[in-house]
Amino acid sequence: MTMTYDAFKAQGLSIDMTRGKPAAEQLDLSQALIDDVGRAGFLSRDGIDCRNYGHVLGLPEARELGAQLLGLPATQVVAAGNSSLELMHDALAFAMLHGTVQSGPWGRAGEVAFLCPVPGYDRHFAICEALGIRMIAVPMNDDGPDMERVESLVAADPAIKGIWCTPLYSNPTGAIYSRETVRRLAGMPAAAPDFRLLWDDAYRFHHLTDERYTTPDIVAACAEAGHHDRALVFASTSKVTFGSAGLALFASSPRNVDWWQRCVSVRTIGPDKLNQLRHVHYLRDRAGLERLMDRHRAILQPKFEVLDASLHALLGDVSDVSWTKPKGGYFVSLFTPDGMAKRTVELAAQAGVVLTPAGAAFPYRVDPRDRHLRIAPSCPNTVQIEQAAMAIALSLRRALDEGARQAR
Ligand code: PMP
């Protein structure tokens, strides 16, 4: 490499690669949501005044849109506020405090544990930590979690109440759950009768290739296996329209939707139906959303390509270094040799490139092999991505040199 670490650092750059945020150019795609506010108005299709309280499960046409997007009956889909993460938090908080359709409050029944495929999404793990749910790491493969481990743990321990799943283009490895994985998750015997799949379909429409991958309908798969209430499905338009001002969806069995209504009615008198109405006007249907996602892809795909090509050019010759080439989603996972991730992130930060903290993708922020980096290329431009790849490569090489010197 021609550039040295010190020369890179001397440029005084400042690049943020920490979170998978949409770029401003992507947010611009949905400017009509703001510009056409007047046209959407405040009256729903059925004459509901969206300026007023009520409709705690969401506006009927927003639930119907959600049903099209998730492939489920509208009666099993709830259109909620702006964040699916908040719905996941609530689902677990409700279970801890009030119990589920099969059980009393988890929080009063002794220890509660959750399986966490790793590397995984740090905010899932933060919810568990905040609610006092013990996290058990299980390895994540390219086709989903290591099912042999999952099945044996879940069958043996009634304290294990659930597992986090991001079935498509998983954060941060891009894993796509296979049909077999989904079938096994739906059908596996669980020692806890109220075992739950926290099914976070955050990247359901976020393709980066011509192939629009899909995963099987988990609610139907669970029902077929006799586990009618096992799956709690979450999704949102945060990375379709606006991050933090999109439309969040919850879907599950009819009994779980009743449970949700009971619990959520204590928390709110109704969601922001004006935003729901605007989203229905703007997106219209699944085809409308898919057209919009093609435009997102046109912005995102070149960024992922540049990142991959830069990493090849800069790190292709370093042994024990690999990275993912996701077919969708927002992240690339880079694996360093053992013991090098933390130091690489530290050196990159000193050189002006801030990455997600090493260890973030693991329960309690501890990557036992200290080798995983999460790279989020959506927000920076392609020049910045090349620079970030350079910073990562130079930092990793310096970390390896330091390690070799210490070993001598
Ligand atoms: N789930 C996953 C897997 C994510 O990566 C993200 C965003 N980074 C979210 C949920 C957050 O979704 P929302 O904006 O709907 O809360």
Side-chain angles (χ1 to χ4, degrees), residues 19-21 82-88 121-124 165-166 168-171 200-203 234-239 242-245 247-249 330-331 374:
R19 306 289 334 168
K21 292 196 298 193
N82 69 310
S83 154
S84 62
L85 192 73
E86 118 188 325
L87 304 183
M88 295 175 229
Y121 179 36
D122 53 354
R123 294 188 192 274
H124 288 160
C165 298
T166 306
L168 191 59
Y169 313 135
S170 191
N171 175 354
D200 180 0
D201 224 346
Y203 298 108
F234 305 90
S236 79
T237 69
S238 289
K239 286 166 184 154
F242 298 144
S244 286
L247 172 65
L249 301 168
Y330 263 63
F331 300 98
R374 184 180 85 163

Side-chain angles (χ1 to χ4, degrees), residues 344-368:
T344 302
V345 170
E346 207 171 77
L347 286 164
Q350 286 165 16
V353 175
V354 192
L355 302 168
T356 310
F362 293 77
Y364 311 106
R365 296 166 295 284
V366 179
D367 171 2

Side-chain angles (χ1 to χ4, degrees), residues 20 58 83 90 190 220 231 251 275 282-283 318 323 339 342 348 355 373 384 400:
S83 154
D90 285 355
N275 194 35
Y282 173 56
L283 295 171
V318 184
W323 57 90
K342 256 206 183 103
L355 302 168
L373 300 184
Q384 290 170 320
L400 288 166

Side-chain angles (χ1 to χ4, degrees), residues 90-135:
D90 285 355
L92 288 186
F94 293 155
M96 290 296 281
L97 290 169
H98 313 306
T100 68
V101 293
Q102 286 127 327
S103 52
W106 287 359
R108 277 200 228 133
E111 190 190 52
V112 179
F114 247 66
L115 298 188
C116 301
V118 293
Y121 179 36
D122 53 354
R123 294 188 192 274
H124 288 160
F125 304 159
I127 293 175
C128 281
E129 206 170 348
L131 296 178
I133 296 172
R134 182 165 71 89
M135 291 179 270

